[in-house]
Amino acid sequence: VDDDCEVDEPAPGTVTVDEDCLAPDIEVTDPWNVAIEWQYTVPGGTGVIVMPAVGNLTDDNGDGVINSDDIGDIGSPWPKHIIGLSANLTYKDFYLNAIFNAQLGHEIYRTYERSDVTFSNMQTFWLDRWTPEAPSEDLPRLTSTDPNNNQRPSSFYVEDGNFLRLRNLQVGWSLPQEWTHRAKMKEVKVYLTGNNLFTITNYRGFDPDIGTSGWILDTGIDKGFYPNNRSFGAGLNVTF
């Protein structure tokens, strides 16, 4: 179809175009591999327009057919490295304690997401989905009919699960002993604390530290677990 032509969509799955706008041969370079055929109507007949499709599938075994024979290994849920790091710093009467943890060398499979339910809330990265005005080679278009069955398990839902998180940070001040001794106290500390203050990760889900539901086969599968919350607090520690 000529770029200058107007295309109307009178009903889902059908489009109407001017007869002069149709080319005898339509060649589409489809970044999503499987094209979707839309029916069009013109005076005196009907035909097919090839539209960009909705899923990035590959013929891994090279037999010319995309089916279950192309299933392969698309990642490991087991971190190769689990790291914990703590730091305790003091300066005069002030102190800082920090706990970091990290997991490296694994993948996470997002199962909570449904690209065929277009009326639900979606994460912000879906703003970059494929549209006619802004074609994308990274995200498919959203459609409730899901003709390409994008919900099938594929590497599209598998992401790098590496992360580094500041699990806990506490900053405090120990009152001078001449003050505490007058009040017959050994030690008094005033502190501020925070949990899960920041996470460095490329994972697009809610939280890369997903844990499991208690079943070992759920390891690495994100079912929409509620993310670890960020919290702040203050306290007073008195020793008599």
Side-chain angles (χ1 to χ4, degrees), residues 86-90 95-100 166 168-172 189 192-194:
S86 62
N88 301 294
L89 305 175
T90 59
Y95 69 91
L96 181 149
N97 299 329
I99 299 176
F100 295 86
L166 176 56
N168 177 266
L169 178 68
Q170 186 177 112
V171 179
K189 293 182 177 180
L192 299 174
T193 185

Side-chain angles (χ1 to χ4, degrees), residues 1-162:
V1 179
D2 192 336
D3 293 338
D4 296 329
C5 294
E6 294 184 1
V7 179
D8 299 325
E9 184 182 349
T14 66
V15 293
T16 302
V17 298
D18 294 333
E19 186 174 12
D20 294 338
C21 293
L22 297 178
D25 297 314
I26 302 175
E27 181 178 354
V28 175
T29 301
D30 182 11
W32 292 99
N33 294 328
V34 183
I36 300 302
E37 295 182 346
W38 285 51
Q39 181 181 358
Y40 66 80
T41 59
V42 295
T46 62
V48 168
I49 295 177
V50 181
M51 301 290 288
V54 292
N56 193 358
L57 305 175
T58 58
D59 180 18
D60 285 347
N61 64 3
D63 63 356
V65 179
I66 297 176
N67 55 26
S68 59
D69 293 335
D70 297 301
I71 294 176
D73 184 3
I74 54 177
S76 170
W78 307 106
K80 294 180 180 178
H81 305 285
I82 299 177
I83 301 171
L85 176 65
S86 62
N88 301 294
L89 305 175
T90 59
Y91 177 74
K92 295 184 178 181
D93 294 330
F94 297 92
Y95 69 91
L96 181 149
N97 299 329
I99 299 176
F100 295 86
N101 77 302
Q103 294 184 17
L104 306 172
H106 67 295
E107 286 76 37
I108 297 175
Y109 177 44
R110 303 190 324 270
T111 61
Y112 62 85
E113 192 172 75
R114 294 193 60 177
S115 61
D116 62 333
V117 182
T118 56
F119 49 80
S120 63
N121 290 330
M122 310 293 288
Q123 289 181 260
T124 54
F125 66 81
W126 277 104
L127 293 172
D128 296 326
R129 68 191 183 279
W130 187 96
T131 63
E133 297 78 18
S136 170
E137 295 187 6
D138 297 320
L139 294 173
R141 65 187 178 98
L142 293 176
T143 169
S144 58
T145 59
D146 194 18
N148 197 43
N149 189 19
N150 285 331
Q151 293 306 120
R152 79 188 85 183
S154 71
S155 58
F156 174 73
Y157 298 102
V158 177
E159 296 190 16
D160 180 356
N162 295 344

Side-chain angles (χ1 to χ4, degrees), residues 148-213:
N148 197 43
N149 189 19
N150 285 331
Q151 293 306 120
R152 79 188 85 183
S154 71
S155 58
F156 174 73
Y157 298 102
V158 177
E159 296 190 16
D160 180 356
N162 295 344
F163 72 88
L164 170 67
R165 167 167 289 166
L166 176 56
R167 180 70 66 182
N168 177 266
L169 178 68
Q170 186 177 112
V171 179
W173 174 49
S174 298
L175 273 65
Q177 290 188 349
E178 56 267 26
W179 296 3
T180 59
H181 289 170
R182 292 175 187 174
K184 298 182 179 181
M185 294 180 290
K186 292 183 179 180
E187 187 178 48
V188 178
K189 293 182 177 180
V190 180
Y191 63 87
L192 299 174
T193 185
N195 296 313
N196 303 313
L197 295 184
F198 71 80
T199 303
I200 301 174
T201 183
N202 289 324
Y203 181 59
R204 294 184 295 184
F206 299 115
D207 190 341
D209 189 10
I210 58 174
T212 69
S213 62

